[in-house]
Amino acid sequence: MSNPQQLRYSKEHEWLSATEDGVATIGITEFAANALGDVVYADLPAAGTTVTAGETCGELESTKSVSDLYSPVTGEVVEANQDVVDDPSLVNSAPFEGGWLFKVRVAEEPGDLLSADEYTAFSGS
């Protein structure tokens, strides 16, 4: 398992892209996707929703369990990935590409996000 170096990571196993025009893309890591098992349902925050770093903003349901989805940043959701809503298995097959979950116009980014190497050490992935 390889965690892309250009991303930052939360201890709740979400990843965050660098912001483009103040907007960051968020998803869950391959480690989290593997731990969940086959994702069969995604409840993602809708555009216009305000999310807060560290707080629940949706959920992913797998054949094993239901897992809360946490936002790694504070801001306003500008887009949810409709492809994941239509085909939740993208979270498992392409967690860092087509399986991204939502995009946020970042208002505040916490200082405790991890680098790829720090996340790898934290998760053992």
Side-chain angles (χ1 to χ4, degrees):
M1 214 179 313
S2 178
N3 297 304
Q5 292 292 320
Q6 74 276 17
L7 301 176
R8 284 165 291 155
Y9 301 85
S10 75
K11 290 185 176 179
E12 288 80 25
H13 307 287
E14 281 84 25
W15 58 261
L16 171 77
S17 71
T19 57
E20 289 184 31
D21 297 325
V23 175
T25 303
I26 296 170
I28 66 165
T29 64
E30 185 175 3
F31 174 84
N34 288 340
L36 272 172
D38 295 332
V39 177
V40 296
Y41 176 75
D43 178 23
L44 305 178
T49 303
T50 299
V51 293
T52 303
E55 293 191 8
T56 304
C57 62
E59 65 182 27
L60 297 173
E61 184 178 327
S62 72
T63 54
K64 291 182 182 179
S65 67
V66 175
S67 180
D68 286 334
L69 178 62
Y70 297 89
S71 179
V73 295
T74 297
E76 181 181 340
V77 176
V78 297
E79 180 182 358
N81 188 348
Q82 188 61 44
D83 291 341
V84 166
V85 172
D86 294 341
D87 181 7
S89 70
L90 287 170
V91 171
N92 298 105
S93 63
F96 296 114
E97 295 89 24
W100 62 272
L101 301 177
F102 58 99
K103 295 184 180 186
V104 174
R105 182 165 311 285
V106 178
E108 184 180 336
E109 187 176 304
D112 62 351
L113 293 175
L114 307 173
S115 69
D117 292 338
E118 291 168 333
Y119 179 74
T120 298
F122 168 76
S123 65
S125 61

